[in-house]
């Protein structure tokens, strides 16, 4: 995303400020009457066992994936309060100004603002007019900030809009961390051996199921998409225990639809139709066919899609074509 640079001013002399009880960026901005984009935020991480001082513009957050990649795929976690204290850092009043003996990583936004307000590295004090690189250095400067809604796209410059998503898989750029370790090399155009740039991906099968249900359900239960429904079609015989014709037609239809490559459930339980309908809705079977004497007299079957509000009568001899074409079913093979 595009980080809008502010109008750069001439660096002013450092000035120490007494800021009693001010521990957060929001509180600092309110106390001094400055926008948070004019402050420097300090975040402490442990990367491969080493405490790392990370700083970004106060209105931004750290993107841990970007940070991990910038550090070469290091194992990364937030430092504990005790680790921060043991490193000699003053939480709530820390900055990279005057810091030594510690790795400092800065977001490139530190180059876009002048005269920051930052911690003075002592309790209840901050500094005005902190400037990079005059007042502090960083071992690494990179884009490590988290994009947020409203930020401008670096290409089209339109504001970013966020939408809630469901994570069903991962794609990671591993880089050369493992290829270097295992000697996985390739010759470039100059026949020079270089480490392979690696990536990996994974799809969570159970996550796909959970995501499908989250996106496809109603107050009655699951609504399975055709492609992953355990059963695509449910057959419901009406009064089958009394009507031999209904039993025989239900069995014949089951065989016909199964031979056509569809996954079919024959609900031949001796129970009330309402119970069957409720159970099938709960299970989420996307297509339901009811076989009854009255419909058979007319050469029809009662069809109802899981999302349909009303049932439809379909000619019995056209039902396979209907399920394939109108209902969108395909062979399960």
């Amino acid at each position: 995303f595009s980080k809008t640079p502010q109008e750069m001013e001439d660096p002013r002399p450092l000035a120490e400020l007494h800021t009693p009880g001010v521990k957060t960026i929001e509180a600092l901005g309110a106390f001094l009457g400055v926008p948070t984009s004019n402050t420097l935020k300090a975040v402490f991480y442990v990367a491969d066992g080493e405490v790392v001082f990370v700083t970004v513009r106060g209105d931004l957050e750290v993107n841990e994936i970007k940070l991990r990649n910038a550090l070469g795929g290091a194992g990364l976690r937030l430092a504990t309060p005790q680790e921060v204290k043991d490193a000699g850092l003053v939480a709530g009043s820390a900055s990279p100004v005057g810091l030594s003996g510690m790795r400092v990583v800065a977001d490139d936004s530190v180059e876009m603002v002048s005269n920051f307000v930052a911690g003075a590295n002592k309790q209840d004090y901050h500094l005005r007019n902190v400037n990079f690189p005059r007042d502090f250095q960083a071992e690494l400067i990179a884009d490590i900030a988290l994009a947020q809604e409203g930020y401008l796209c670096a290409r089209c410059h339109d504001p970013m809009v966020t939408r809630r998503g469901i994570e069903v898989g991962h794609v990671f750029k591993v880089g050369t961390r493992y290829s270097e370790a295992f000697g996985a090399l390739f010759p470039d155009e100059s026949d020079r051996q270089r480490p392979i740039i690696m990536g990996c991906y994974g799809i969570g099968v159970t996550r796909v199921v959970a995501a499908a249900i989250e996106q496809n359900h109603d107050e009655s239960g699951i609504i399975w998409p055709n492609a992953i429904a355990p059963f695509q079609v449910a057959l419901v015989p009406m009064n089958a225990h009394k009507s031999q014709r209904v039993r025989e037609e239900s069995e014949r239809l089951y065989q016909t639809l199964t031979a056509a490559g569809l996954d079919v459930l024959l609900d031949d339980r001796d129970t009330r139709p309402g119970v069957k309908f409720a159970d099938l809705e709960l299970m989420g079977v996307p297509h339901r066919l009811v076989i009854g004497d009255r419909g058979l007299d007319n050469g029809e079957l009662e069809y109802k899609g899981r999302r349909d509000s009303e049932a439809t009568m379909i000619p019995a001899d056209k039902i396979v074509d209907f399920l394939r074409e109108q209902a969108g079913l395909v062979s399960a093979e």
Side-chain angles (χ1 to χ4, degrees):
F1 68 97
S2 175
K3 300 165 189 168
T4 305
Q6 299 185 13
E7 184 177 348
M8 302 295 286
E9 303 173 338
D10 291 334
R12 294 192 288 267
L14 279 175
E16 190 175 85
L17 301 168
H18 186 214
T19 52
V22 174
K23 302 289 186 182
T24 67
I25 291 295
E26 291 72 20
L28 180 62
F31 183 82
L32 297 177
V34 298
T36 56
S37 58
N38 280 95
T39 66
L40 274 184
K41 179 182 295 182
V43 191
F44 315 114
Y45 287 91
V46 174
D48 289 342
E50 175 191 6
V51 176
V52 178
F53 191 110
V54 178
T55 187
V56 298
R57 204 170 69 192
D59 60 323
L60 302 174
E61 301 292 338
V62 176
N63 183 319
E64 292 188 359
I65 295 175
K66 288 183 179 180
L67 178 60
R68 184 182 294 111
N69 290 339
L71 292 172
L76 189 71
R77 63 172 174 82
L78 285 169
T80 66
Q82 188 61 49
E83 288 170 327
V84 172
K85 184 178 179 180
D86 291 345
L89 298 167
V90 183
S93 296
S95 80
V97 178
L99 201 64
S100 62
M102 182 174 296
R103 196 174 187 185
V104 176
V105 179
D107 182 65
D108 56 12
S109 58
V110 302
E111 301 177 303
M112 302 175 185
V113 181
S114 56
N115 298 316
F116 281 108
V117 177
N121 292 316
K122 66 179 183 179
Q123 195 71 36
D124 293 333
Y125 283 88
H126 283 79
L127 296 172
R128 274 194 187 274
N129 306 325
V130 173
N131 287 272
F132 177 84
R134 184 194 70 180
D135 302 312
F136 70 93
Q137 302 293 317
E139 177 183 318
L140 177 64
I141 297 177
D143 172 20
I144 57 170
L146 182 70
Q148 299 181 28
E149 186 160 14
Y151 289 178
L152 300 182
C153 173
R155 295 184 179 180
C156 68
H157 306 295
D158 286 339
M160 185 178 75
V161 177
T162 61
R163 294 286 184 269
R164 183 180 178 187
I166 303 173
E167 183 178 327
V168 296
H170 305 273
V171 177
F172 292 114
K173 181 181 178 182
V174 182
T176 61
R177 179 179 177 85
Y178 298 105
S179 57
E180 289 175 349
F182 288 99
L185 308 175
F186 73 96
D188 64 12
E189 64 274 8
S190 301
D191 207 31
R192 179 181 176 183
Q193 294 294 310
R194 294 185 179 275
I196 296 170
I197 298 174
M198 298 176 60
C200 63
Y201 69 91
I203 297 176
V205 176
T206 54
R207 290 189 181 196
V208 171
V209 173
I213 294 172
E214 186 171 341
Q215 295 179 89
N216 299 277
H217 68 276
D218 60 16
E219 66 278 1
S220 298
I222 302 169
I223 306 175
W224 286 112
N226 290 332
I228 61 173
F231 295 101
Q232 297 169 307
V233 183
L235 303 182
V236 183
M238 301 292 285
N239 297 317
H241 62 292
K242 295 181 180 180
S243 173
Q244 181 177 349
R245 180 172 68 155
V246 168
R247 292 196 301 273
E248 291 176 348
E249 181 59 26
S250 299
E251 181 62 32
R252 186 198 66 78
L253 186 57
Y254 176 85
Q255 297 296 337
T256 298
L257 296 179
T258 300
L262 303 180
D263 288 323
V264 186
L265 172 66
L266 175 57
D267 188 350
D268 56 0
R269 295 176 295 168
D270 184 11
T271 187
R272 291 178 290 112
V275 173
K276 294 184 179 184
F277 294 161
D279 287 348
L280 293 173
E281 287 182 338
L282 181 64
M283 293 167 58
V285 181
H287 306 279
R288 187 186 78 196
L289 291 173
V290 174
I291 304 99
D293 281 311
R294 183 180 302 175
L296 294 177
D297 288 341
N298 298 322
E300 296 177 327
L301 301 169
E302 181 185 294
Y303 166 82
K304 187 173 185 293
R306 179 63 179 79
R307 296 182 185 275
D308 296 343
S309 58
E310 301 292 337
T312 304
M313 302 306 295
I314 306 297
D317 59 351
K318 303 292 185 183
I319 194 61
V320 174
D321 291 338
F322 174 83
L323 291 174
R324 282 179 169 170
E325 297 172 11
Q326 301 299 319
L329 281 180
V330 296
S331 171
E333 298 177 348

